[in-house]
mmCIF file of all heavy atoms in Angstrom:
data_model
loop_
_atom_site.group_PDB
_atom_site.id
_atom_site.type_symbol
_atom_site.label_atom_id
_atom_site.label_comp_id
_atom_site.label_asym_id
_atom_site.label_seq_id
_atom_site.Cartn_x
_atom_site.Cartn_y
_atom_site.Cartn_z
ATOM 1 N N LEU T 76 122.526 81.577 103.973
ATOM 2 C CA LEU T 76 123.973 81.420 104.004
ATOM 3 C C LEU T 76 124.587 81.803 102.665
ATOM 4 O O LEU T 76 124.145 81.336 101.608
ATOM 5 C CB LEU T 76 124.318 79.965 104.333
ATOM 6 C CG LEU T 76 125.802 79.612 104.436
ATOM 7 C CD1 LEU T 76 126.406 80.226 105.692
ATOM 8 C CD2 LEU T 76 125.984 78.092 104.451
ATOM 9 N N GLY T 77 125.622 82.649 102.707
ATOM 10 C CA GLY T 77 126.319 83.041 101.490
ATOM 11 C C GLY T 77 125.513 83.941 100.579
ATOM 12 O O GLY T 77 125.910 84.178 99.440
ATOM 13 N N ALA T 78 124.387 84.441 101.051
ATOM 14 C CA ALA T 78 123.478 85.214 100.203
ATOM 15 C C ALA T 78 123.517 86.694 100.591
ATOM 16 O O ALA T 78 124.401 87.150 101.317
ATOM 17 C CB ALA T 78 122.064 84.649 100.309
ATOM 18 N N ARG T 79 122.513 87.460 100.086
ATOM 19 C CA ARG T 79 122.409 88.884 100.407
ATOM 20 C C ARG T 79 121.021 89.362 100.021
ATOM 21 O O ARG T 79 120.238 88.598 99.449
ATOM 22 C CB ARG T 79 123.476 89.695 99.668
ATOM 23 C CG ARG T 79 123.294 89.746 98.142
ATOM 24 C CD ARG T 79 124.062 88.683 97.411
ATOM 25 N NE ARG T 79 123.689 88.654 95.997
ATOM 26 C CZ ARG T 79 124.238 89.421 95.060
ATOM 27 N NH1 ARG T 79 125.165 90.302 95.383
ATOM 28 N NH2 ARG T 79 123.863 89.320 93.813
ATOM 29 N N GLY T 80 120.714 90.612 100.320
ATOM 30 C CA GLY T 80 119.382 91.140 100.080
ATOM 31 C C GLY T 80 118.919 91.020 98.644
ATOM 32 O O GLY T 80 117.723 90.817 98.381
ATOM 33 N N GLU T 81 119.834 91.131 97.689
ATOM 34 C CA GLU T 81 119.461 91.042 96.275
ATOM 35 C C GLU T 81 118.778 89.728 95.920
ATOM 36 O O GLU T 81 118.027 89.662 94.944
ATOM 37 C CB GLU T 81 120.707 91.196 95.390
ATOM 38 C CG GLU T 81 121.211 92.615 95.223
ATOM 39 C CD GLU T 81 122.253 92.985 96.258
ATOM 40 O OE1 GLU T 81 122.330 92.289 97.299
ATOM 41 O OE2 GLU T 81 122.980 93.959 96.063
ATOM 42 N N ASP T 82 119.030 88.680 96.709
ATOM 43 C CA ASP T 82 118.438 87.390 96.386
ATOM 44 C C ASP T 82 116.920 87.383 96.548
ATOM 45 O O ASP T 82 116.249 86.470 96.054
ATOM 46 C CB ASP T 82 119.073 86.297 97.244
ATOM 47 C CG ASP T 82 120.523 86.044 96.874
ATOM 48 O OD1 ASP T 82 120.964 86.560 95.831
ATOM 49 O OD2 ASP T 82 121.232 85.350 97.624
ATOM 50 N N TRP T 83 116.379 88.395 97.212
ATOM 51 C CA TRP T 83 114.935 88.556 97.315
ATOM 52 C C TRP T 83 114.396 89.403 96.160
ATOM 53 O O TRP T 83 113.231 89.841 96.202
ATOM 54 C CB TRP T 83 114.564 89.240 98.635
ATOM 55 C CG TRP T 83 114.838 88.461 99.874
ATOM 56 C CD1 TRP T 83 115.846 88.667 100.769
ATOM 57 C CD2 TRP T 83 114.078 87.370 100.402
ATOM 58 N NE1 TRP T 83 115.763 87.762 101.809
ATOM 59 C CE2 TRP T 83 114.680 86.958 101.605
ATOM 60 C CE3 TRP T 83 112.927 86.693 99.956
ATOM 61 C CZ2 TRP T 83 114.192 85.907 102.380
ATOM 62 C CZ3 TRP T 83 112.438 85.644 100.733
ATOM 63 C CH2 TRP T 83 113.065 85.257 101.924
ATOM 64 N N GLY T 84 115.208 89.615 95.131
ATOM 65 C CA GLY T 84 114.850 90.530 94.052
ATOM 66 C C GLY T 84 113.532 90.242 93.366
ATOM 67 O O GLY T 84 112.849 91.160 92.911
ATOM 68 N N ALA T 85 113.152 88.964 93.268
ATOM 69 C CA ALA T 85 111.884 88.622 92.622
ATOM 70 C C ALA T 85 110.692 88.872 93.534
ATOM 71 O O ALA T 85 109.560 88.972 93.060
ATOM 72 C CB ALA T 85 111.904 87.148 92.197
ATOM 73 N N MET T 86 110.938 88.982 94.837
ATOM 74 C CA MET T 86 109.853 89.093 95.810
ATOM 75 C C MET T 86 109.623 90.518 96.301
ATOM 76 O O MET T 86 108.473 90.921 96.529
ATOM 77 C CB MET T 86 110.157 88.197 97.019
ATOM 78 C CG MET T 86 110.289 86.718 96.708
ATOM 79 S SD MET T 86 108.714 85.853 96.623
ATOM 80 C CE MET T 86 108.250 85.832 98.341
ATOM 81 N N ILE T 87 110.704 91.299 96.485
ATOM 82 C CA ILE T 87 110.568 92.607 97.135
ATOM 83 C C ILE T 87 109.573 93.518 96.413
ATOM 84 O O ILE T 87 108.603 93.988 97.019
ATOM 85 C CB ILE T 87 111.933 93.304 97.289
ATOM 86 C CG1 ILE T 87 112.845 92.506 98.213
ATOM 87 C CG2 ILE T 87 111.761 94.725 97.840
ATOM 88 C CD1 ILE T 87 114.270 93.025 98.287
ATOM 89 N N PRO T 88 109.779 93.822 95.117
ATOM 90 C CA PRO T 88 108.838 94.746 94.461
ATOM 91 C C PRO T 88 107.428 94.188 94.364
ATOM 92 O O PRO T 88 106.446 94.931 94.464
ATOM 93 C CB PRO T 88 109.455 94.976 93.079
ATOM 94 C CG PRO T 88 110.409 93.860 92.870
ATOM 95 C CD PRO T 88 110.876 93.435 94.212
ATOM 96 N N ALA T 89 107.297 92.886 94.182
ATOM 97 C CA ALA T 89 105.971 92.276 94.082
ATOM 98 C C ALA T 89 105.217 92.374 95.406
ATOM 99 O O ALA T 89 104.012 92.657 95.432
ATOM 100 C CB ALA T 89 106.099 90.819 93.652
#
Side-chain angles (χ1 to χ4, degrees):
L76 181 71
R79 67 266 171 86
E81 282 92 342
D82 291 349
W83 293 105
M86 299 277 288
I87 296 173

